[in-house]
């Protein structure tokens, strides 16, 4: 019996934590001592885009506070079901940027691989919440044509692994893909867009760290944090480990009404990031995706907030306020 058990492939520790994520909105409310009568929870919204949140992230939410900025990012509520003009299912034109299944190019010199549909957390404001990943993500069986495409175009110097979240891939698939990319001579940089260091920091394990230490590619990880409360001791440890491989760490945040649309919150976020070796990169104006209108902060407020940050912080801690406009050759500064 014992021997048989040892022969079963064991999921990695982080995969168990992911499998154990909270998926039931009522359980989440109970964990936070919130009464379901206080909240406009929506089962319809949850059916469209299910709740998913790792327990370690829930532990950083304030108990008894229905307006907690971390809770607001993940809880399915009735406001999502309101149709609002101008909010669509593909606000950033991802469909038109597909050059091969799983491969997007919008900008000069860099391509983006949608490696997987899976994420460790489901963010209610996500611009990809309606994207037909299951048709469009590049499954490992589809990687070879993508690699060929990149190998044939010497103008491409940077590959971005995105998703979903590329760190949802298991170590062997991910390392295999990155190693194949490393062998394309004209590639200089590898960039990973991931929320794992923030929402499931246990994902930053030895095989990943070892790979980044030895690669010839200049590596960048763009993490995604919207609020300083997201950065606890476990997150700091993971970020320090990543930093010690020599990679560059950047953050992109989304400006979200009721989460981080005030000057204090944004300044604290920049400072907390820098303390852990991460430079603020982009502050995105919300993409107008159906179901997320209640997170929208207007453009004047967005500009005012950045002005306030400029007055209070060193220039290097002020992120660039940008908006993605479908069909334009770079993210548009506001
Ligand atoms: C956002 C994005 C990038 C990255 O843009 P940078 O300005 O280089 O950070 C690249 N490709 C696609 C398709 C994107 O959406
Ligand atoms: S982790 Fe990123 S891609 Fe995944 S749901 Fe959140 S915002 Fe969207």
């Amino acid at each position: 019996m014992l021997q048989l058990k040892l022969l079963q492939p064991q999921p990695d520790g982080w995969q168990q934590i992911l499998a154990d994520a909270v998926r039931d909105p009522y359980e989440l409310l109970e964990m936070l001592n919130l009464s379901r009568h206080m909240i406009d929870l929506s089962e319809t919204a949850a059916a469209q885009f299910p709740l998913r949140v790792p327990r370690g992230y829930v532990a950083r939410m304030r108990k008894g506070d229905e307006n907690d900025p971390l809770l607001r990012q993940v809880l399915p509520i009735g406001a999502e079901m309101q149709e609002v003009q101008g909010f669509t299912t593909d606000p950033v034109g991802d469909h038109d940027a597909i050059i091969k299944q799983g491969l997007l190019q919008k900008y000069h010199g860099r391509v983006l691989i949608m490696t997987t549909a899976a994420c460790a957390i489901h963010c209610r404001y996500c611009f990809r919440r309606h994207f037909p990943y299951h048709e469009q993500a590049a499954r490992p069986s589809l990687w070879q044509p993508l690699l060929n495409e990149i190998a044939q175009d010497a103008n491409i110097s940077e590959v971005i692994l995105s998703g979903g979240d590329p760190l949802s891939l298991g170590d062997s698939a991910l390392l295999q893909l990155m190693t194949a990319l490393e062998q394309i001579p004209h590639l200089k940089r590898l960039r990973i867009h991931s929320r794992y260091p923030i929402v499931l920091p246990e994902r930053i394990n030895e095989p990943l760290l070892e790979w980044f230490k030895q690669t010839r590619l200049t590596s960048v990880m763009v993490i995604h944090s919207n609020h300083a409360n997201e950065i606890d001791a476990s997150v700091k440890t993971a970020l320090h480990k990543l930093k010690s491989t020599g990679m560059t760490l950047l953050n992109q945040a989304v400006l979200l009404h009721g989460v981080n649309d005030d000057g204090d919150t944004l300044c604290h976020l920049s400072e907390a990031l820098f303390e852990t070796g991460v430079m603020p990169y982009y502050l995105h104006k919300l993409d107008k995706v159906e179901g997320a209108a209640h997170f929208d902060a207007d453009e004047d407020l967005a500009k005012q907030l950045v002005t306030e940050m400029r007055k209070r912080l060193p220039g290097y801690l002020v992120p660039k306020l940008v908006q993605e406009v479908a069909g334009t050759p770079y993210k548009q500064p506001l």
Side-chain angles (χ1 to χ4, degrees):
M1 273 312 271
L2 186 64
Q3 256 173 351
L4 264 180
K5 221 175 163 187
L6 286 174
L7 288 173
Q8 301 281 336
Q10 291 292 315
D12 287 344
W14 68 270
Q15 286 171 319
Q16 269 160 0
I17 297 170
L18 180 58
D20 191 37
V22 180
R23 287 150 205 270
D24 175 357
Y26 295 109
E27 182 188 356
L28 177 60
L29 294 185
E30 204 161 295
M31 289 169 81
L32 296 168
N33 303 335
L34 287 169
S35 135
R36 60 180 72 178
H37 308 295
M38 291 165 65
I39 284 168
D40 180 25
L41 193 74
S42 168
E43 288 180 9
T44 323
Q48 261 189 16
F49 185 49
L51 171 82
R52 178 183 293 185
V53 55
R55 285 168 199 274
Y57 188 84
V58 176
R60 298 171 225 158
M61 296 175 185
R62 288 188 293 253
K63 292 224 161 97
D65 180 359
E66 73 264 31
N67 294 318
D68 178 85
L70 279 56
L71 176 63
R72 284 188 60 95
Q73 294 180 58
V74 300
L75 190 69
I77 58 168
E80 292 176 34
M81 303 317 297
Q82 284 162 20
E83 266 184 48
V84 179
Q85 215 187 354
F87 285 74
T88 63
T89 53
D90 181 19
V92 297
D94 270 0
H95 250 298
D96 296 337
I98 295 168
I99 52 178
K100 240 190 173 58
Q101 178 161 3
L103 191 67
L104 266 69
Q105 181 159 29
K106 290 185 183 170
Y107 308 136
H108 178 79
R110 49 225 197 270
V111 289
L112 183 149
I113 303 181
M114 283 196 285
T115 52
T116 163
C119 289
I121 190 165
H122 286 173
C123 314
R124 308 313 299 176
Y125 54 85
C126 182
F127 71 95
R128 288 185 176 139
R129 56 180 289 169
H130 305 283
F131 201 72
Y133 282 121
H134 297 287
E135 295 152 39
Q136 296 304 347
R139 295 181 285 281
S141 61
L142 299 170
W143 284 346
Q144 198 52 54
L146 300 190
L147 292 164
N148 294 344
E149 185 85 22
I150 296 166
Q152 277 160 24
D153 185 351
N155 288 318
I156 298 171
S157 53
E158 174 167 347
V159 168
I160 300 167
L161 301 186
S162 182
D165 195 313
L167 296 190
S168 298
L169 293 173
D171 288 338
S172 72
L174 182 62
L175 300 191
Q176 205 187 330
L177 175 62
M178 295 196 300
T179 303
L181 288 166
E182 189 180 38
Q183 278 152 23
I184 300 175
H186 55 260
L187 271 197
K188 295 182 183 141
R189 294 182 299 279
L190 176 67
R191 184 185 337 174
I192 296 193
H193 281 184
S194 177
R195 223 181 164 197
Y196 270 88
I198 297 295
V199 302
L200 206 158
E202 297 83 355
R203 175 69 187 94
I204 308 306
N205 60 4
E206 277 312 308
L208 271 192
L209 293 165
E210 283 308 314
W211 194 89
F212 285 112
K213 272 181 203 155
Q214 56 75 48
T215 181
R216 74 162 182 89
L217 295 167
T218 303
S219 315
V220 181
M221 192 171 298
V222 183
I223 65 165
H224 171 182
S225 176
N226 299 315
H227 196 287
N229 289 5
E230 292 178 334
I231 303 171
D232 72 353
S234 66
V235 172
K236 286 181 189 163
T237 305
L239 292 171
H240 282 305
K241 285 183 189 167
L242 286 170
K243 186 86 183 165
S244 71
T245 68
M247 73 185 345
T248 298
L249 295 177
L250 305 173
N251 183 60
Q252 51 185 342
V254 182
L255 184 62
L256 298 168
H257 175 62
V259 173
N260 60 9
D261 62 341
D262 70 89
D264 279 345
T265 303
L266 291 172
C267 288
H268 287 151
L269 173 62
S270 274
E271 290 187 321
L273 288 165
F274 189 65
E275 285 295 305
T276 52
V278 184
M279 295 298 294
Y281 178 39
Y282 281 147
L283 176 61
H284 293 271
K285 181 103 173 39
L286 182 78
D287 294 313
K288 292 192 180 301
V289 67
E290 203 176 282
H294 57 292
F295 284 116
D296 201 22
D298 74 30
E299 192 168 325
D300 287 339
L301 176 65
K303 288 178 184 164
Q304 267 171 39
L305 291 171
V306 173
T307 304
E308 188 175 340
M309 292 180 91
R310 288 205 177 100
K311 288 181 182 162
R312 291 174 55 179
L313 293 172
Y316 58 86
L317 291 189
V318 181
K320 296 183 186 80
L321 177 66
V322 291
Q323 178 163 39
E324 190 152 347
V325 179
T328 55
Y330 48 87
K331 304 213 194 281
Q332 301 297 302
L334 286 175

